[in-house]
Amino acid sequence: MSALWRNWSGLESVTPARVVRPKGANETAGAVLDAVRDGLPVKAIGAGHSFTGAALAPGVQLDMSAMSGLVSYDPGARQVTVGAGTYLYDMPPMLSKLGLAMANLGDIDRQTVAGALSTGTHGTGTRFGGLATQATAMTVATADGELRKFSKTRDPREWPAIALAVGSLGVLIDVTIQCVPAFKLHAVEAPEPLDDVLGDFRSRCTGADHFEFYWFPHTATALTKTNTRVPVDAPGEALPGMRRWVDDEVVSNAVYSLTCRLGSAVPIAVPRINRLAGRLLGHRDFTDASSSVFTTPRRVRFREMEYALPREVVPDAVRRIRELIDSKGWRISFPVEVRTAAPDDLWLSTAYGRDTGYIAVHRYLREDHREYFAAVEDIFREFGGRPHWGKLHTRSAADLRELYPHFDDFLAVRDALDPGRVFANPYLRQIFGT
Ligand SMILES: Cc1cc2nc3c(=O)[nH]c(=O)nc-3n(C[C@H](O)[C@H](O)[C@H](O)COP(=O)(O)OP(=O)(O)OC[C@H]3O[C@@H](n4cnc5c(N)ncnc54)[C@H](O)[C@@H]3O)c2cc1C
């Protein structure tokens, strides 16, 4: 009997019929064929950091953790091929030895490469696409037990489907990543009036390499983060180790955990706590390795919904969320997070074909997120938002089709590669309708 599996947020759980931990490509393909023979669905899992049931594996759960690390390196092209189960936190030490880095990252590094790519994980920056846009090739174990190589340049017809498929087309064995020369980021973090940031949103995000902000509900303040790419040998001080520990571990995690518990027990205190959080997470100016600036530890557990919107509507959407929170009298301790991405051409990418802004709302694990998320989702819907595949939402195939011009083209590729729905699970049936 397999053990109970739970995702990071604790909202999804399942006891798989069996768990297989393949050590290589052939073993993975064999595990797929064994599952087909036994009439069981198959699902590869990453780090279980999706809030949705994307990684739920009631049949055969493939634990890809043994398929990690550097597979090959092409110095001329600055490309590395890594095992699909490689954790993102293993990438910077591996790449820095080669003088390389990933072009952009999200805000944590606990996910696996395959898991992050598969759900459209992204960071921020109007000139930078999500992580899947950094992939240039993949080896995939398909439902027929074959191992197929797909490449962005050699398979331009399939690539827009393969590179970002929410785990529906096969099991990723390895992924080739287009890297960039190692770089540092000069980070400037500052509390600013939310209204000013919204008023200048367009120029703030296009004027910086990586701009994002957090707004703590019940306050008038946004914490802005503006990161500028600088050469790896550029002068500039990293945060002293102790300061970083105090900021990242004590303030952002330990104290934050306490304040979330307090806010949950005494909701009326939330506005005051949020104002305090805004003050504690004050001004910082430092320069450090790109991965150390992009990602921070997140130990306080929460639930999250994030939508991709046409970038120009983001300020209005944030204002609507502020009005909503004020009008409902809710006490929301977790910030609203705003980021951006460049348009791309991957069919299921939330940034497909449009300049994109992301708005994420969160709720502490001990609080009921449903009423808040449902009301915010209505706002996102009105603005033509596309839900992040790894974060909570209620959309299904019928309305997702309207949001993705190549939705049916994607389903045609799925019909060709997985006609028997070997890789299906309830979440995929919700979003694809089959
Ligand atoms: C604290 C926290 C912070 C986050 N920050 C960000 C952020 O900054 N930006 C952002 O965009 N998202 C963010 N997310 C969401 C997260 O990046 C995605 O949900 C991501 O998919 C999680 O990766 P994972 O390795 O945990 O994959 P899982 O959640 O385990 O799986 C995700 C999907 O990938 C599939 N999959 C995994 N491995 C394979 C494989 N080898 N072959 C085929 N399919 C596979 C699974 O079947 C599933 O469909 C965050 C989540 C949390 C909990």
Side-chain angles (χ1 to χ4, degrees):
M1 186 70 179
S2 315
L4 179 75
W5 175 91
R6 260 184 212 290
N7 70 345
W8 184 86
S9 74
L11 275 180
E12 296 285 344
S13 63
V14 71
T15 304
R18 68 173 178 258
V19 176
V20 179
R21 187 166 178 265
K23 286 187 249 353
N26 290 332
E27 243 183 77
T28 309
V32 172
L33 284 181
D34 289 347
V36 172
R37 183 199 58 213
D38 297 342
L40 291 170
V42 189
K43 189 112 301 260
I45 55 160
H49 273 51
S50 293
F51 296 86
T52 57
L56 208 69
V60 177
Q61 182 189 68
L62 291 184
D63 167 355
M64 303 300 286
S65 55
M67 313 267 292
S68 76
L70 187 64
V71 175
S72 63
Y73 168 43
D74 178 344
R78 295 199 181 105
Q79 291 175 352
V80 295
T81 299
V82 297
T86 306
Y87 287 98
L88 289 177
Y89 58 74
D90 284 330
M91 296 294 288
M94 178 198 304
L95 294 178
S96 70
K97 284 188 203 132
L98 307 171
L100 299 175
M102 288 180 71
N104 198 7
L105 286 167
D107 56 20
I108 61 160
D109 59 9
R110 301 291 103 181
Q111 312 93 316
T112 60
V113 168
L117 256 61
S118 297
T119 59
T121 294
H122 61 89
T124 191
T126 55
R127 292 185 294 110
F128 298 88
L131 268 61
T133 66
Q134 298 176 33
T136 61
M138 291 173 182
T139 309
V140 185
T142 45
D144 52 8
E146 293 293 314
L147 291 171
R148 299 176 195 219
K149 286 202 180 291
F150 293 95
S151 130
K152 186 176 176 173
T153 46
R154 283 194 305 279
D155 306 292
R157 269 158 30 112
E158 291 90 355
W159 186 254
I162 294 289
L164 199 172
V166 204
S168 66
L169 302 182
V171 182
L172 274 55
I173 303 288
D174 58 45
V175 180
T176 304
I177 308 270
Q178 179 64 58
C179 301
V180 298
F183 63 101
K184 282 186 183 170
L185 287 169
H186 172 214
V188 177
E189 301 175 359
E192 298 183 57
L194 174 67
D195 284 327
D196 291 359
V197 176
L198 294 179
D200 288 345
F201 180 67
R202 187 192 159 98
S203 60
R204 293 297 295 269
C205 52
T206 53
D209 290 327
H210 306 277
F211 175 75
E212 66 185 290
F213 72 86
Y214 293 86
W215 167 60
F216 282 88
H218 320 295
T219 76
T221 308
L223 284 174
T224 59
K225 295 190 172 195
T226 309
N227 294 334
T228 305
R229 298 163 86 92
V230 294
V232 77
D233 54 358
E237 298 288 314
L239 286 173
M242 184 54 110
R243 167 85 199 267
R244 184 159 188 142
W245 181 77
V246 168
D247 288 354
D248 290 352
E249 293 295 349
V250 181
V251 177
S252 300
N253 283 299
V255 174
Y256 198 51
S257 168
L258 276 176
T259 57
C260 285
R261 278 163 193 256
L262 177 65
S264 169
V266 192
I268 203 162
V270 166
R272 223 172 311 151
I273 293 171
N274 283 6
R275 283 194 290 275
L276 179 68
R279 276 202 296 276
L280 283 174
L281 300 167
H283 192 277
R284 300 201 299 181
D285 185 325
F286 61 100
T287 301
D288 210 339
S290 56
S291 57
S292 309
V293 179
F294 282 136
T295 65
T296 46
R298 293 280 158 90
R299 299 195 212 287
V300 182
R301 302 228 172 188
F302 54 84
R303 273 92 194 238
E304 179 172 352
M305 175 174 69
E306 183 177 52
Y307 264 67
L309 308 174
R311 194 180 304 143
E312 65 276 7
V313 306
V314 163
D316 281 342
V318 173
R319 290 182 190 107
R320 289 280 303 281
I321 295 170
R322 178 171 60 183
E323 284 162 21
L324 174 76
I325 294 172
D326 290 347
S327 71
K328 293 286 185 184
W330 297 322
R331 296 287 181 253
I332 308 294
S333 52
F334 258 79
V336 174
E337 183 181 14
V338 175
R339 295 182 280 182
T340 64
D344 67 55
D345 54 5
L346 304 178
W347 291 341
L348 291 190
S349 167
T350 50
Y352 178 86
R354 69 186 189 194
D355 285 328
T356 294
Y358 290 96
I359 304 181
V361 292
H362 311 75
R363 265 213 110 160
Y364 181 48
L365 192 84
R366 292 169 186 234
E367 294 164 358
D368 190 343
H369 61 277
R370 286 172 297 185
E371 195 187 355
Y372 175 42
F373 284 14
V376 174
E377 189 170 37
D378 285 343
I379 296 175
F380 289 152
R381 235 178 228 266
E382 255 181 66
F383 284 105
R386 297 170 176 158
H388 187 304
W389 300 115
K391 302 192 184 179
L392 298 175
H393 70 91
T394 63
R395 312 297 287 273
S396 55
D399 54 346
L400 290 167
R401 176 172 282 113
E402 306 292 314
L403 297 167
Y404 288 92
H406 288 284
F407 196 76
D408 287 314
D409 295 328
F410 181 88
L411 294 189
V413 174
R414 186 175 180 228
D415 284 343
L417 286 177
D418 186 16
R421 303 294 185 254
V422 173
F423 302 112
N425 68 4
Y427 180 66
L428 291 186
R429 280 192 285 277
Q430 174 196 329
I431 60 172
F432 295 143
T434 148

